[in-house]
Amino acid sequence: MTKLFETTWSDIARAGARLGLTTDALGSLAEPSRIVEVGIPLTKDDGTTQTVRGWRVQHSNARGPFKGGVRFHPHVQVDDVKNLALLMTLKCAVVDIPFGGAKGGVSIDPRTLSRSELERLSRGYVRQIEPLIGPWTDIPAPDVGSGEETMAWMVDEYSMLSHSFTPAAFTGKPVATGGSRGRRAATGYGGFDVLEVVQSELGAPLKRVAVEGFGNVGYHFAEKAAEQGMTLVGVSDIHDAVTNPGGLDPAQVLKSKLATGRVAGAGGHEVSHSALLAMDTDVLVLAAIEHSVTARNADSIRAKVVLELGNNSVSAEAGETLAKKGILVIPDILANAGGVVASYFEWTQNLQGYYWTEADVLSKVRDKLHVAARDVFAVRDEHTVNLRTAAQMLALERLMAAMPHHAATPRLTPVNV
Ligand code: NAD
């Protein structure tokens, strides 16, 4: 099976070729700077112990400290972590924030652990990677299977190990422990911010939207879109898919989800997951998992615009099919960058010790995303490429501008080796 990292890298190398960059010129981007595999000792509540596999992959720090989430998932492999670290390098460059790219992975199903087991595991992971991370070296964040509380434990462990309160070493923390107001909503709202630029580029209003994956990102996107006058014609979660041409109320869907754990029950008609994806709508938002649109179902998609809020929600093959059908795909490294932009503002607030209002943070995120989206459209128009290639080209241009002045991955200090 072709590896994810290799597939993404070939795509990026093709974007580089459009800029006249040879594989040699792309140099160190072709491989992560550092891959660290750890065994995390975990004592279970019943006194037994096990060793859990984990990784930290630092892809590039040419533009700033490594940055990326930590995924807790039973099937996570080093290849996934490498792939996601590469995407982070590109994403931070597309939105022009001073970070490189990294990712972490812990091979566990967090739902099988008690809260205290999860805390011990989170702290144990930090003890294993502590020499590699820090506010100016590598700043982890939450990802699938981890969350705000995980970050609170991790930053506390890191602060203990480094003998000083160091909130800027992690982002995505609860507001009570140095997190940023607005961070929780930023990826979903940011998707809408990007869509505003798409609308103005298309010169036509986008009125109806269906959202696959009504979780944190999907809900916040839907909330913002409905507030701004769009009609939510369908939603899904892992259990159900529901449609209503007259419009669903995101607040009611959330209420139902919180009460029953499912999106069904807030009005509308239940349909199959594939029917939701195939809806005749202006915008299809993908906010669930990787590869929800693949060669298998790409032909059935009928939306005018696909907004890729999940990483790699549209496979490379599916992207080609959608392009042939004239469907505009807004790529993940632009569409879901609101989260990392808010993380950047969390980090800056931690470093300066001065905190902003939610409105301030979200308006700064919106400004950054508007500029990035316009930059991506400009590259698309200049080179006549699709938006994914344009975003990759923009990222590569910015990375190449920094790389000649960049020496290497920071050395581990002797005391830590
Ligand atoms: P989440 O766990 O809160 O929500 C995911 C939702 O998707 C859940 O409602 C789940 O039921 C649903 N889902 C899962 N499989 C599905 C399927 N087959 N069909 C329909 N729905 C399905 O996660 P989230 O934080 O909202 O993240 C969503 C996606 O966005 C993930 O791919 C994540 O990697 C990506 N992302 C998140 C952030 C962030 O800040 N949270 C940032 C960048 C990218």
Side-chain angles (χ1 to χ4, degrees), residues 88-105:
M88 283 304 294
T89 298
L90 295 172
K91 194 182 298 184
C92 293
V94 168
V95 290
D96 203 12
I97 56 176
F99 288 141
K103 205 77 184 185

Side-chain angles (χ1 to χ4, degrees), residues 137-313:
T137 44
D138 182 352
I139 307 140
D143 191 68
V144 174
S146 59
E148 289 184 8
E149 190 170 41
T150 329
M151 294 306 112
W153 292 322
M154 288 189 175
V155 81
D156 186 60
E157 189 67 26
Y158 184 84
S159 293
M160 272 199 285
L161 294 168
S162 57
H163 305 283
S164 68
F165 180 60
T166 321
F170 290 80
T171 60
K173 305 176 294 289
V175 170
T177 59
S180 176
R181 290 179 181 83
R183 169 67 182 82
R184 202 178 287 168
T187 306
Y189 284 12
F192 185 81
D193 298 336
V194 170
L195 200 60
E196 287 179 320
V197 175
V198 174
Q199 288 208 66
S200 75
E201 289 286 334
L202 292 177
L206 298 167
K207 292 190 172 135
R208 291 164 308 136
V209 61
V211 176
E212 184 212 36
F214 197 80
N216 174 47
V217 175
Y219 163 69
H220 282 106
F221 174 89
E223 181 190 45
K224 186 74 169 182
E227 192 186 292
Q228 297 298 316
M230 289 185 87
T231 306
L232 180 65
V233 292
V235 290
S236 68
D237 65 5
I238 195 157
H239 310 290
D240 312 304
V242 180
T243 63
N244 185 346
L248 293 155
D249 176 1
Q252 286 303 321
V253 181
L254 180 66
K255 207 168 148 193
S256 162
K257 179 103 182 131
L258 292 175
T260 64
R262 313 177 75 116
V263 293
H269 319 281
E270 287 194 40
V271 296
S272 66
H273 283 91
S274 48
L276 180 112
L277 291 175
M279 278 185 82
D280 182 10
T281 173
D282 294 326
V283 183
L284 173 65
V285 173
L286 303 175
I289 41 158
E290 274 117 30
H291 289 176
S292 50
V293 178
T294 62
R296 182 179 44 81
N297 59 358
D299 228 13
S300 70
I301 305 299
R302 290 191 290 163
K304 294 192 183 91
V305 172
V306 171
L307 187 71
E308 192 184 26
L309 293 186
N311 293 314
N312 284 127
S313 291

